[in-house]
Amino acid sequence: MIDWTILAPAAFFAGMVDAVVGGGGLIQIPVLLSQFPQTAIPILFGTNKVSSIAGTGAALWRYARSVRIPWAVVLPATVAALLGAWGGAALVAWLPRETMRPLVIVMMIAVALYTFMKKDLGQQVTRVIDGRDRWKGALFGGVIGVYDGFFGPGTGSFLIFGFVRLFGMDFVQGSASAKVINFATNLSAIAFFASHGPILWQVGLIMAVCNLAGSWMGTHLALKHGAGFIRKAFLGVVVVLIAKQLADLLG
């Protein structure tokens, strides 16, 4: 028996958090695993993506109407991320995923400390993006794509931090830009999971409605309260990610 009093609020909250700084999977996947303990992991991952892409798409649409997305950087980064994700997934055959965990924890701690110490980081746009940044964007997107395909946790946070630190965006513009890549990689993941096995479409679509509603709320808060609000939410999600990865490593 599906307990929608747990699944629906989880999808809503995941959409709200994901719209601001990413990390919705941290909420949805554990809930799906607890609700469907006998269901294969790939089926639940595919179902999670069906729910997530609705919220990501809604957030992207709202951001795009209010925030100037620097497509000269974002489009090459998106294409490279899709290719990189395929390459990252292929790496699993050669290296165990767990080899990444200690490095990822160190990277996340470094990101959190840097963001905390640099109070002005991402509070305003610091430079104009031009055509010369497209190759840097492609390289950045490719690296993030490989990481996402191979390991995954914290991809949204790394995207936002990279856009802010490397390209001088503020946190609002960085979050909006990250949604483009998130949407593309989610769509690719759904295509992969759907072609390799069943997906709980009814569950995923109902959760998608809740996720979309949460995304609308999260995007509204982000646009209303600006870069300072997103910075605080970003730090909160990164701290949770660090704690989660440490628990998995030590457990």
Side-chain angles (χ1 to χ4, degrees):
M1 186 69 179
I2 301 173
D3 189 348
W4 286 107
T5 62
I6 295 176
L7 275 177
F12 177 89
F13 188 57
M16 185 169 67
V17 171
D18 210 52
V20 182
V21 288
L26 283 172
I27 301 165
Q28 283 193 157
I29 290 176
V31 172
L32 281 167
L33 289 170
S34 69
Q35 288 293 300
F36 302 95
Q38 306 303 318
T39 304
I41 299 296
I43 294 175
L44 297 182
F45 278 20
T47 304
N48 170 66
K49 292 297 184 183
V50 170
S51 173
S52 297
I53 197 170
T56 303
L60 173 58
W61 182 75
R62 288 206 69 194
Y63 276 127
R65 295 177 63 199
S66 305
V67 180
R68 188 186 68 82
I69 296 175
W71 295 107
V73 165
V74 173
L75 284 182
T78 301
V79 173
L82 287 171
L83 295 174
W86 182 88
L91 275 178
V92 176
W94 300 91
L95 293 169
R97 278 192 174 97
E98 292 308 302
T99 59
M100 282 289 292
R101 200 176 299 279
L103 176 60
V104 169
I105 292 171
V106 172
M107 289 167 58
M108 286 182 175
I109 291 173
V111 165
L113 287 175
Y114 187 89
T115 305
F116 181 77
M117 298 296 291
K118 295 276 290 185
K119 303 294 185 184
D120 60 341
L121 180 70
Q123 296 306 294
Q124 59 185 8
V125 177
T126 57
R127 70 183 184 87
V128 177
I129 301 294
D130 59 39
R132 292 172 298 179
D133 287 312
R134 65 169 59 93
W135 298 111
K136 188 194 293 185
L139 179 61
F140 170 62
V143 170
I144 292 293
V146 169
Y147 170 76
D148 193 25
F150 180 67
F151 191 63
T155 298
S157 298
F158 287 136
L159 277 171
I160 293 172
F161 181 80
F163 280 131
V164 170
R165 179 65 183 84
L166 298 176
F167 300 101
M169 301 182 191
D170 65 10
F171 271 106
V172 177
Q173 195 177 55
S175 185
S177 299
K179 293 297 170 286
V180 180
I181 296 179
N182 289 150
F183 184 83
T185 54
N186 281 348
L187 191 63
S188 177
I190 290 172
F192 174 83
F193 285 120
S195 64
H196 284 73
I199 287 177
L200 303 177
W201 288 105
Q202 183 179 3
V203 173
L205 291 173
I206 294 174
M207 289 181 68
V209 174
C210 301
N211 193 281
L212 191 151
S215 175
W216 185 93
M217 177 65 72
T219 313
H220 172 75
L221 290 172
L223 292 173
K224 180 179 180 181
H225 297 290
F229 169 77
I230 297 180
R231 178 181 180 274
K232 292 174 184 176
F234 173 83
L235 281 169
V237 167
V238 171
V239 168
V240 171
L241 279 165
I242 291 169
K244 171 81 166 52
Q245 296 306 311
L246 278 172
D248 290 344
L249 181 66
L250 299 176

